Amino acid sequence: MSSASNPPDIETRARTFHLPGHPGVEYSATVVRPAGRGAQGWTLAEVTVRSTGGPLAVEEFASTEQLVAAVLYKDPWHMAETPYDSTRELDRVPGQYRRALYLRGVRTVDDLVELSDEQILAIRGIGERGAAIVADARDRYAADRAMTERAG
């Protein structure tokens, strides 16, 4: 007699919200994670974008990170994508990797943007998967810096 295993329990959270810097846009998002996992385990499952004031006039929609944070935290500070600031903390880097970077002396966006892929991979506590995540955050910070320099 075979028994089918039950799928792991899944936690779900959903919320409808407006983001700072996105006037006239209402987001409805659902995030999921296996039960018992930490905040890092949340994944975006579904998003609905609705105009609340005519045609959508948004240059760029919210990032996945913003949407997950908006569902998990009601504080708008967590939801807003802050403009590029070379001295701001590494808010796009997950906490476990941020700690490893901090111990290596990487404390600001500019510190991170200066690191190569090899330097990131060499930091103790990051590993290959973490290096890819950190490098992605670095690349997004670099793109923000380039846009800010062109605009300013």
Side-chain angles (χ1 to χ4, degrees):
M1 179 164 133
S2 71
S3 68
S5 64
N6 291 330
D9 291 333
I10 301 291
E11 279 186 77
T12 303
R13 290 192 190 172
R15 187 162 172 252
T16 299
F17 49 89
H18 297 273
L19 291 174
H22 295 242
V25 179
E26 179 181 84
Y27 292 92
S28 294
T30 303
V31 296
V32 297
R33 75 173 175 180
R37 296 285 310 260
Q40 298 297 328
W42 289 104
T43 304
L44 188 62
E46 181 178 14
V47 177
T48 303
V49 180
R50 185 175 77 83
S51 171
T52 58
L56 286 176
V58 176
E59 289 182 27
E60 186 174 319
F61 289 104
S63 68
T64 300
E65 294 87 1
Q66 283 178 285
L67 295 170
V68 171
V71 173
L72 298 176
Y73 310 105
K74 293 185 180 174
D75 177 1
W77 180 85
H78 289 283
M79 297 182 229
E81 184 76 21
T82 55
Y84 178 78
D85 175 5
S86 64
T87 62
R88 87 175 192 230
E89 292 183 21
L90 303 171
D91 56 349
R92 292 181 183 163
V93 177
Q96 67 196 39
Y97 306 124
R98 196 177 318 136
R99 284 187 293 281
L101 290 166
Y102 185 84
L103 291 172
R104 180 69 182 265
V106 179
R107 294 185 171 93
T108 66
V109 169
D110 272 353
D111 294 340
L112 179 60
V113 169
E114 299 305 318
L115 294 180
S116 69
D117 289 348
E118 293 78 23
Q119 290 171 313
I120 293 170
L121 186 58
I123 295 174
R124 182 181 175 160
I126 292 189
E128 286 186 37
R129 180 174 177 259
I133 292 168
V134 172
D136 179 61
R138 177 205 56 206
D139 295 344
R140 287 185 289 140
Y141 285 130
D144 286 354
R145 178 166 69 177
M147 283 187 354
T148 301
E149 288 172 354
R150 280 193 302 258

mmCIF file of all heavy atoms in Angstrom, residues 55-100:
data_model
loop_
_atom_site.group_PDB
_atom_site.id
_atom_site.type_symbol
_atom_site.label_atom_id
_atom_site.label_comp_id
_atom_site.label_asym_id
_atom_site.label_seq_id
_atom_site.Cartn_x
_atom_site.Cartn_y
_atom_site.Cartn_z
ATOM 1 N N PRO A 55 -6.006 56.160 -17.376
ATOM 2 C CA PRO A 55 -4.992 55.265 -17.936
ATOM 3 C C PRO A 55 -3.749 55.211 -17.036
ATOM 4 O O PRO A 55 -3.377 56.202 -16.419
ATOM 5 C CB PRO A 55 -4.645 55.897 -19.290
ATOM 6 C CG PRO A 55 -5.722 56.881 -19.559
ATOM 7 C CD PRO A 55 -6.329 57.265 -18.259
ATOM 8 N N LEU A 56 -3.126 54.058 -16.983
ATOM 9 C CA LEU A 56 -1.915 53.911 -16.184
ATOM 10 C C LEU A 56 -0.805 54.759 -16.790
ATOM 11 O O LEU A 56 -0.520 54.647 -17.974
ATOM 12 C CB LEU A 56 -1.462 52.452 -16.129
ATOM 13 C CG LEU A 56 -2.282 51.525 -15.242
ATOM 14 C CD1 LEU A 56 -1.784 50.092 -15.371
ATOM 15 C CD2 LEU A 56 -2.218 51.961 -13.798
ATOM 16 N N ALA A 57 -0.203 55.594 -15.962
ATOM 17 C CA ALA A 57 0.882 56.451 -16.427
ATOM 18 C C ALA A 57 2.091 56.263 -15.519
ATOM 19 O O ALA A 57 2.579 57.182 -14.909
ATOM 20 C CB ALA A 57 0.431 57.904 -16.440
ATOM 21 N N VAL A 58 2.550 55.031 -15.435
ATOM 22 C CA VAL A 58 3.696 54.716 -14.597
ATOM 23 C C VAL A 58 4.847 54.345 -15.504
ATOM 24 O O VAL A 58 4.701 53.496 -16.383
ATOM 25 C CB VAL A 58 3.367 53.534 -13.643
ATOM 26 C CG1 VAL A 58 4.583 53.141 -12.834
ATOM 27 C CG2 VAL A 58 2.210 53.895 -12.740
ATOM 28 N N GLU A 59 5.990 55.003 -15.303
ATOM 29 C CA GLU A 59 7.160 54.696 -16.134
ATOM 30 C C GLU A 59 7.680 53.296 -15.843
ATOM 31 O O GLU A 59 8.115 52.591 -16.728
ATOM 32 C CB GLU A 59 8.261 55.720 -15.889
ATOM 33 C CG GLU A 59 7.939 57.079 -16.453
ATOM 34 C CD GLU A 59 9.066 58.056 -16.238
ATOM 35 O OE1 GLU A 59 10.233 57.631 -16.144
ATOM 36 O OE2 GLU A 59 8.765 59.252 -16.161
ATOM 37 N N GLU A 60 7.648 52.908 -14.575
ATOM 38 C CA GLU A 60 8.175 51.604 -14.192
ATOM 39 C C GLU A 60 7.325 51.073 -13.044
ATOM 40 O O GLU A 60 7.040 51.788 -12.091
ATOM 41 C CB GLU A 60 9.625 51.747 -13.737
ATOM 42 C CG GLU A 60 10.306 50.442 -13.463
ATOM 43 C CD GLU A 60 11.780 50.652 -13.165
ATOM 44 O OE1 GLU A 60 12.421 51.465 -13.828
ATOM 45 O OE2 GLU A 60 12.253 49.976 -12.252
ATOM 46 N N PHE A 61 6.898 49.835 -13.150
ATOM 47 C CA PHE A 61 6.118 49.239 -12.086
ATOM 48 C C PHE A 61 7.031 48.843 -10.935
ATOM 49 O O PHE A 61 8.256 48.802 -11.067
ATOM 50 C CB PHE A 61 5.335 48.024 -12.594
ATOM 51 C CG PHE A 61 4.206 48.406 -13.497
ATOM 52 C CD1 PHE A 61 4.309 48.228 -14.866
ATOM 53 C CD2 PHE A 61 3.046 48.963 -12.989
ATOM 54 C CE1 PHE A 61 3.278 48.588 -15.705
ATOM 55 C CE2 PHE A 61 2.005 49.332 -13.822
ATOM 56 C CZ PHE A 61 2.119 49.142 -15.184
ATOM 57 N N ALA A 62 6.430 48.541 -9.821
ATOM 58 C CA ALA A 62 7.177 48.162 -8.625
ATOM 59 C C ALA A 62 7.970 46.890 -8.858
ATOM 60 O O ALA A 62 7.566 46.016 -9.620
ATOM 61 C CB ALA A 62 6.207 47.971 -7.466
ATOM 62 N N SER A 63 9.093 46.781 -8.161
ATOM 63 C CA SER A 63 9.918 45.579 -8.260
ATOM 64 C C SER A 63 9.295 44.465 -7.417
ATOM 65 O O SER A 63 8.450 44.704 -6.558
ATOM 66 C CB SER A 63 11.325 45.867 -7.756
ATOM 67 O OG SER A 63 11.304 46.100 -6.358
ATOM 68 N N THR A 64 9.744 43.254 -7.655
ATOM 69 C CA THR A 64 9.282 42.111 -6.874
ATOM 70 C C THR A 64 9.557 42.334 -5.397
ATOM 71 O O THR A 64 8.706 42.078 -4.540
ATOM 72 C CB THR A 64 9.972 40.821 -7.349
ATOM 73 O OG1 THR A 64 9.651 40.625 -8.725
ATOM 74 C CG2 THR A 64 9.529 39.615 -6.546
ATOM 75 N N GLU A 65 10.747 42.851 -5.080
ATOM 76 C CA GLU A 65 11.107 43.098 -3.686
ATOM 77 C C GLU A 65 10.152 44.089 -3.044
ATOM 78 O O GLU A 65 9.740 43.924 -1.900
ATOM 79 C CB GLU A 65 12.546 43.621 -3.576
ATOM 80 C CG GLU A 65 13.590 42.621 -3.986
ATOM 81 C CD GLU A 65 13.896 42.648 -5.488
ATOM 82 O OE1 GLU A 65 13.302 43.465 -6.231
ATOM 83 O OE2 GLU A 65 14.702 41.831 -5.914
ATOM 84 N N GLN A 66 9.798 45.156 -3.773
ATOM 85 C CA GLN A 66 8.872 46.146 -3.245
ATOM 86 C C GLN A 66 7.506 45.528 -2.972
ATOM 87 O O GLN A 66 6.885 45.812 -1.952
ATOM 88 C CB GLN A 66 8.682 47.292 -4.242
ATOM 89 C CG GLN A 66 9.810 48.271 -4.293
ATOM 90 C CD GLN A 66 9.518 49.312 -5.336
ATOM 91 O OE1 GLN A 66 9.629 49.035 -6.525
ATOM 92 N NE2 GLN A 66 9.143 50.488 -4.912
ATOM 93 N N LEU A 67 7.038 44.702 -3.895
ATOM 94 C CA LEU A 67 5.720 44.109 -3.741
ATOM 95 C C LEU A 67 5.671 43.152 -2.553
ATOM 96 O O LEU A 67 4.723 43.176 -1.762
ATOM 97 C CB LEU A 67 5.303 43.397 -5.031
ATOM 98 C CG LEU A 67 5.115 44.321 -6.237
ATOM 99 C CD1 LEU A 67 4.948 43.511 -7.510
ATOM 100 C CD2 LEU A 67 3.944 45.267 -6.031
ATOM 101 N N VAL A 68 6.693 42.317 -2.407
ATOM 102 C CA VAL A 68 6.742 41.396 -1.267
ATOM 103 C C VAL A 68 6.779 42.196 0.028
ATOM 104 O O VAL A 68 6.039 41.912 0.970
ATOM 105 C CB VAL A 68 7.943 40.435 -1.371
ATOM 106 C CG1 VAL A 68 8.124 39.639 -0.082
ATOM 107 C CG2 VAL A 68 7.764 39.491 -2.554
ATOM 108 N N ALA A 69 7.632 43.235 0.079
ATOM 109 C CA ALA A 69 7.733 44.057 1.283
ATOM 110 C C ALA A 69 6.416 44.762 1.592
ATOM 111 O O ALA A 69 6.021 44.878 2.752
ATOM 112 C CB ALA A 69 8.855 45.077 1.125
ATOM 113 N N ALA A 70 5.710 45.207 0.559
ATOM 114 C CA ALA A 70 4.442 45.903 0.767
ATOM 115 C C ALA A 70 3.384 44.986 1.367
ATOM 116 O O ALA A 70 2.541 45.416 2.140
ATOM 117 C CB ALA A 70 3.943 46.489 -0.548
ATOM 118 N N VAL A 71 3.426 43.710 1.011
ATOM 119 C CA VAL A 71 2.479 42.757 1.588
ATOM 120 C C VAL A 71 2.859 42.450 3.031
ATOM 121 O O VAL A 71 2.009 42.385 3.917
ATOM 122 C CB VAL A 71 2.415 41.456 0.758
ATOM 123 C CG1 VAL A 71 1.562 40.406 1.453
ATOM 124 C CG2 VAL A 71 1.862 41.736 -0.636
ATOM 125 N N LEU A 72 4.151 42.303 3.294
ATOM 126 C CA LEU A 72 4.601 41.902 4.622
ATOM 127 C C LEU A 72 4.625 43.045 5.631
ATOM 128 O O LEU A 72 4.402 42.835 6.818
ATOM 129 C CB LEU A 72 5.996 41.280 4.540
ATOM 130 C CG LEU A 72 6.105 40.012 3.694
ATOM 131 C CD1 LEU A 72 7.555 39.560 3.633
ATOM 132 C CD2 LEU A 72 5.223 38.913 4.247
ATOM 133 N N TYR A 73 4.911 44.266 5.175
ATOM 134 C CA TYR A 73 5.052 45.407 6.076
ATOM 135 C C TYR A 73 4.095 46.509 5.667
ATOM 136 O O TYR A 73 4.030 46.861 4.501
ATOM 137 C CB TYR A 73 6.479 45.970 6.022
ATOM 138 C CG TYR A 73 7.548 44.933 6.174
ATOM 139 C CD1 TYR A 73 8.293 44.518 5.072
ATOM 140 C CD2 TYR A 73 7.815 44.344 7.391
ATOM 141 C CE1 TYR A 73 9.292 43.558 5.199
ATOM 142 C CE2 TYR A 73 8.803 43.386 7.529
ATOM 143 C CZ TYR A 73 9.540 42.998 6.433
ATOM 144 O OH TYR A 73 10.513 42.058 6.560
ATOM 145 N N LYS A 74 3.409 47.090 6.614
ATOM 146 C CA LYS A 74 2.486 48.176 6.289
ATOM 147 C C LYS A 74 3.174 49.533 6.304
ATOM 148 O O LYS A 74 2.636 50.504 5.846
ATOM 149 C CB LYS A 74 1.313 48.168 7.255
ATOM 150 C CG LYS A 74 0.457 46.940 7.053
ATOM 151 C CD LYS A 74 -0.768 46.952 7.889
ATOM 152 C CE LYS A 74 -1.548 45.683 7.593
ATOM 153 N NZ LYS A 74 -2.678 45.502 8.439
ATOM 154 N N ASP A 75 4.382 49.599 6.823
ATOM 155 C CA ASP A 75 5.148 50.833 6.877
ATOM 156 C C ASP A 75 5.609 51.205 5.471
ATOM 157 O O ASP A 75 6.310 50.438 4.833
ATOM 158 C CB ASP A 75 6.361 50.612 7.789
ATOM 159 C CG ASP A 75 7.277 51.810 7.874
ATOM 160 O OD1 ASP A 75 6.988 52.846 7.255
ATOM 161 O OD2 ASP A 75 8.292 51.709 8.584
ATOM 162 N N PRO A 76 5.225 52.388 4.959
ATOM 163 C CA PRO A 76 5.594 52.752 3.590
ATOM 164 C C PRO A 76 7.100 52.850 3.367
ATOM 165 O O PRO A 76 7.571 52.776 2.256
ATOM 166 C CB PRO A 76 4.935 54.105 3.361
ATOM 167 C CG PRO A 76 4.267 54.496 4.605
ATOM 168 C CD PRO A 76 4.400 53.389 5.596
ATOM 169 N N TRP A 77 7.903 52.979 4.430
ATOM 170 C CA TRP A 77 9.355 53.039 4.267
ATOM 171 C C TRP A 77 9.857 51.778 3.591
ATOM 172 O O TRP A 77 10.754 51.813 2.771
ATOM 173 C CB TRP A 77 10.028 53.211 5.625
ATOM 174 C CG TRP A 77 11.511 53.281 5.504
ATOM 175 C CD1 TRP A 77 12.254 54.389 5.235
ATOM 176 C CD2 TRP A 77 12.433 52.194 5.631
ATOM 177 N NE1 TRP A 77 13.583 54.058 5.183
ATOM 178 C CE2 TRP A 77 13.730 52.717 5.430
ATOM 179 C CE3 TRP A 77 12.308 50.842 5.890
ATOM 180 C CZ2 TRP A 77 14.862 51.929 5.485
ATOM 181 C CZ3 TRP A 77 13.449 50.073 5.943
ATOM 182 C CH2 TRP A 77 14.700 50.614 5.748
ATOM 183 N N HIS A 78 9.247 50.638 3.933
ATOM 184 C CA HIS A 78 9.672 49.375 3.336
ATOM 185 C C HIS A 78 9.236 49.274 1.873
ATOM 186 O O HIS A 78 9.805 48.518 1.114
ATOM 187 C CB HIS A 78 9.062 48.184 4.085
ATOM 188 C CG HIS A 78 9.648 47.980 5.438
ATOM 189 N ND1 HIS A 78 10.871 47.411 5.642
ATOM 190 C CD2 HIS A 78 9.179 48.286 6.661
ATOM 191 C CE1 HIS A 78 11.135 47.352 6.926
ATOM 192 N NE2 HIS A 78 10.125 47.878 7.569
ATOM 193 N N MET A 79 8.204 50.011 1.507
ATOM 194 C CA MET A 79 7.631 49.868 0.179
ATOM 195 C C MET A 79 8.288 50.764 -0.854
ATOM 196 O O MET A 79 8.324 50.444 -2.022
ATOM 197 C CB MET A 79 6.143 50.209 0.216
ATOM 198 C CG MET A 79 5.335 49.297 1.067
ATOM 199 S SD MET A 79 3.633 49.807 0.963
ATOM 200 C CE MET A 79 3.210 49.864 2.670
ATOM 201 N N ALA A 80 8.782 51.898 -0.437
ATOM 202 C CA ALA A 80 9.295 52.871 -1.392
ATOM 203 C C ALA A 80 10.659 52.452 -1.908
ATOM 204 O O ALA A 80 11.506 52.014 -1.150
ATOM 205 C CB ALA A 80 9.395 54.243 -0.748
ATOM 206 N N GLU A 81 10.833 52.594 -3.169
ATOM 207 C CA GLU A 81 12.143 52.379 -3.769
ATOM 208 C C GLU A 81 12.852 53.717 -3.640
ATOM 209 O O GLU A 81 12.474 54.698 -4.268
ATOM 210 C CB GLU A 81 11.992 51.990 -5.237
ATOM 211 C CG GLU A 81 13.274 51.658 -5.909
ATOM 212 C CD GLU A 81 13.808 50.287 -5.536
ATOM 213 O OE1 GLU A 81 13.036 49.440 -5.085
ATOM 214 O OE2 GLU A 81 14.994 50.070 -5.710
ATOM 215 N N THR A 82 13.831 53.794 -2.773
ATOM 216 C CA THR A 82 14.479 55.067 -2.516
ATOM 217 C C THR A 82 15.382 55.426 -3.685
ATOM 218 O O THR A 82 15.959 54.562 -4.324
ATOM 219 C CB THR A 82 15.311 54.997 -1.223
ATOM 220 O OG1 THR A 82 16.218 53.913 -1.322
ATOM 221 C CG2 THR A 82 14.434 54.830 -0.017
ATOM 222 N N PRO A 83 15.513 56.736 -3.958
ATOM 223 C CA PRO A 83 16.401 57.131 -5.045
ATOM 224 C C PRO A 83 17.842 56.749 -4.714
ATOM 225 O O PRO A 83 18.177 56.513 -3.570
ATOM 226 C CB PRO A 83 16.239 58.649 -5.112
ATOM 227 C CG PRO A 83 15.433 59.048 -3.948
ATOM 228 C CD PRO A 83 14.869 57.829 -3.309
ATOM 229 N N TYR A 84 18.671 56.721 -5.711
ATOM 230 C CA TYR A 84 20.061 56.323 -5.518
ATOM 231 C C TYR A 84 20.736 57.259 -4.529
ATOM 232 O O TYR A 84 20.652 58.473 -4.632
ATOM 233 C CB TYR A 84 20.816 56.350 -6.845
ATOM 234 C CG TYR A 84 22.263 55.978 -6.661
ATOM 235 C CD1 TYR A 84 22.622 54.648 -6.518
ATOM 236 C CD2 TYR A 84 23.242 56.945 -6.567
ATOM 237 C CE1 TYR A 84 23.941 54.288 -6.315
ATOM 238 C CE2 TYR A 84 24.555 56.594 -6.364
ATOM 239 C CZ TYR A 84 24.898 55.263 -6.239
ATOM 240 O OH TYR A 84 26.197 54.911 -6.031
ATOM 241 N N ASP A 85 21.389 56.698 -3.564
ATOM 242 C CA ASP A 85 22.172 57.439 -2.590
ATOM 243 C C ASP A 85 23.373 56.562 -2.265
ATOM 244 O O ASP A 85 23.220 55.459 -1.745
ATOM 245 C CB ASP A 85 21.340 57.720 -1.345
ATOM 246 C CG ASP A 85 22.141 58.380 -0.227
ATOM 247 O OD1 ASP A 85 23.328 58.702 -0.439
ATOM 248 O OD2 ASP A 85 21.579 58.562 0.853
ATOM 249 N N SER A 86 24.548 57.047 -2.588
ATOM 250 C CA SER A 86 25.744 56.223 -2.450
ATOM 251 C C SER A 86 26.030 55.829 -1.015
ATOM 252 O O SER A 86 26.750 54.882 -0.756
ATOM 253 C CB SER A 86 26.952 56.954 -3.031
ATOM 254 O OG SER A 86 27.202 58.132 -2.281
ATOM 255 N N THR A 87 25.461 56.548 -0.049
ATOM 256 C CA THR A 87 25.739 56.242 1.356
ATOM 257 C C THR A 87 24.645 55.413 2.006
ATOM 258 O O THR A 87 24.755 55.065 3.171
ATOM 259 C CB THR A 87 25.918 57.538 2.163
ATOM 260 O OG1 THR A 87 24.700 58.287 2.107
ATOM 261 C CG2 THR A 87 27.067 58.369 1.621
ATOM 262 N N ARG A 88 23.591 55.099 1.248
ATOM 263 C CA ARG A 88 22.510 54.342 1.876
ATOM 264 C C ARG A 88 22.933 52.903 2.126
ATOM 265 O O ARG A 88 23.852 52.379 1.506
ATOM 266 C CB ARG A 88 21.225 54.421 1.073
ATOM 267 C CG ARG A 88 21.068 53.397 -0.009
ATOM 268 C CD ARG A 88 19.676 53.539 -0.616
ATOM 269 N NE ARG A 88 19.391 52.409 -1.440
ATOM 270 C CZ ARG A 88 18.944 52.498 -2.676
ATOM 271 N NH1 ARG A 88 18.712 53.653 -3.215
ATOM 272 N NH2 ARG A 88 18.701 51.416 -3.361
ATOM 273 N N GLU A 89 22.243 52.292 3.053
ATOM 274 C CA GLU A 89 22.552 50.907 3.378
ATOM 275 C C GLU A 89 22.162 49.996 2.221
ATOM 276 O O GLU A 89 21.427 50.370 1.328
ATOM 277 C CB GLU A 89 21.807 50.498 4.646
ATOM 278 C CG GLU A 89 22.325 51.206 5.875
ATOM 279 C CD GLU A 89 21.625 50.735 7.131
ATOM 280 O OE1 GLU A 89 21.059 49.631 7.131
ATOM 281 O OE2 GLU A 89 21.658 51.485 8.095
ATOM 282 N N LEU A 90 22.619 48.789 2.301
ATOM 283 C CA LEU A 90 22.409 47.820 1.234
ATOM 284 C C LEU A 90 21.030 47.169 1.366
ATOM 285 O O LEU A 90 20.910 45.981 1.638
ATOM 286 C CB LEU A 90 23.526 46.775 1.280
ATOM 287 C CG LEU A 90 24.932 47.359 1.169
ATOM 288 C CD1 LEU A 90 25.972 46.299 1.453
ATOM 289 C CD2 LEU A 90 25.143 47.991 -0.191
ATOM 290 N N ASP A 91 19.983 47.935 1.136
ATOM 291 C CA ASP A 91 18.619 47.475 1.370
ATOM 292 C C ASP A 91 18.131 46.429 0.374
ATOM 293 O O ASP A 91 17.154 45.749 0.628
ATOM 294 C CB ASP A 91 17.651 48.655 1.404
ATOM 295 C CG ASP A 91 17.694 49.510 0.149
ATOM 296 O OD1 ASP A 91 18.615 49.335 -0.670
ATOM 297 O OD2 ASP A 91 16.808 50.362 -0.010
ATOM 298 N N ARG A 92 18.795 46.261 -0.735
ATOM 299 C CA ARG A 92 18.381 45.255 -1.718
ATOM 300 C C ARG A 92 19.093 43.920 -1.519
ATOM 301 O O ARG A 92 18.844 42.976 -2.254
ATOM 302 C CB ARG A 92 18.665 45.741 -3.134
ATOM 303 C CG ARG A 92 17.810 46.907 -3.549
ATOM 304 C CD ARG A 92 18.133 47.307 -4.957
ATOM 305 N NE ARG A 92 17.363 48.477 -5.328
ATOM 306 C CZ ARG A 92 17.650 49.249 -6.350
ATOM 307 N NH1 ARG A 92 18.683 48.971 -7.113
ATOM 308 N NH2 ARG A 92 16.912 50.290 -6.620
ATOM 309 N N VAL A 93 19.973 43.862 -0.548
ATOM 310 C CA VAL A 93 20.734 42.643 -0.282
ATOM 311 C C VAL A 93 20.104 41.937 0.912
ATOM 312 O O VAL A 93 19.919 42.549 1.962
ATOM 313 C CB VAL A 93 22.220 42.971 0.016
ATOM 314 C CG1 VAL A 93 22.992 41.726 0.361
ATOM 315 C CG2 VAL A 93 22.848 43.702 -1.165
ATOM 316 N N PRO A 94 19.743 40.651 0.790
ATOM 317 C CA PRO A 94 19.169 39.921 1.927
ATOM 318 C C PRO A 94 20.094 39.987 3.142
ATOM 319 O O PRO A 94 21.319 40.018 3.016
ATOM 320 C CB PRO A 94 19.048 38.488 1.407
ATOM 321 C CG PRO A 94 18.945 38.639 -0.081
ATOM 322 C CD PRO A 94 19.821 39.812 -0.416
ATOM 323 N N GLY A 95 19.493 40.001 4.308
ATOM 324 C CA GLY A 95 20.202 40.194 5.565
ATOM 325 C C GLY A 95 21.399 39.293 5.777
ATOM 326 O O GLY A 95 22.448 39.744 6.232
ATOM 327 N N GLN A 96 21.280 38.015 5.459
ATOM 328 C CA GLN A 96 22.396 37.097 5.705
ATOM 329 C C GLN A 96 23.624 37.489 4.895
ATOM 330 O O GLN A 96 24.761 37.372 5.364
ATOM 331 C CB GLN A 96 21.998 35.663 5.401
ATOM 332 C CG GLN A 96 21.721 35.415 3.921
ATOM 333 C CD GLN A 96 20.976 34.129 3.678
ATOM 334 O OE1 GLN A 96 20.086 33.771 4.424
ATOM 335 N NE2 GLN A 96 21.350 33.434 2.637
ATOM 336 N N TYR A 97 23.424 37.976 3.681
ATOM 337 C CA TYR A 97 24.550 38.385 2.848
ATOM 338 C C TYR A 97 25.022 39.785 3.231
ATOM 339 O O TYR A 97 26.205 40.093 3.125
ATOM 340 C CB TYR A 97 24.184 38.321 1.366
ATOM 341 C CG TYR A 97 23.646 36.973 0.971
ATOM 342 C CD1 TYR A 97 22.414 36.836 0.365
ATOM 343 C CD2 TYR A 97 24.376 35.820 1.238
ATOM 344 C CE1 TYR A 97 21.921 35.591 0.017
ATOM 345 C CE2 TYR A 97 23.888 34.569 0.895
ATOM 346 C CZ TYR A 97 22.662 34.467 0.289
ATOM 347 O OH TYR A 97 22.172 33.230 -0.049
ATOM 348 N N ARG A 98 24.096 40.628 3.664
ATOM 349 C CA ARG A 98 24.455 41.975 4.121
ATOM 350 C C ARG A 98 25.419 41.883 5.304
ATOM 351 O O ARG A 98 26.389 42.625 5.388
ATOM 352 C CB ARG A 98 23.192 42.745 4.507
ATOM 353 C CG ARG A 98 23.418 44.220 4.628
ATOM 354 C CD ARG A 98 22.151 45.006 4.932
ATOM 355 N NE ARG A 98 21.019 44.551 4.165
ATOM 356 C CZ ARG A 98 19.796 44.376 4.681
ATOM 357 N NH1 ARG A 98 19.558 44.608 5.934
ATOM 358 N NH2 ARG A 98 18.819 43.961 3.907
ATOM 359 N N ARG A 99 25.156 40.951 6.221
ATOM 360 C CA ARG A 99 26.050 40.767 7.373
ATOM 361 C C ARG A 99 27.445 40.346 6.924
ATOM 362 O O ARG A 99 28.443 40.854 7.419
ATOM 363 C CB ARG A 99 25.459 39.743 8.345
ATOM 364 C CG ARG A 99 24.330 40.299 9.182
ATOM 365 C CD ARG A 99 23.879 39.304 10.243
ATOM 366 N NE ARG A 99 23.246 38.119 9.695
ATOM 367 C CZ ARG A 99 21.997 38.042 9.265
ATOM 368 N NH1 ARG A 99 21.226 39.096 9.324
ATOM 369 N NH2 ARG A 99 21.508 36.910 8.787
ATOM 370 N N ALA A 100 27.506 39.419 5.969
ATOM 371 C CA ALA A 100 28.812 38.974 5.467
ATOM 372 C C ALA A 100 29.552 40.130 4.802
ATOM 373 O O ALA A 100 30.766 40.297 4.990
ATOM 374 C CB ALA A 100 28.631 37.813 4.489
#
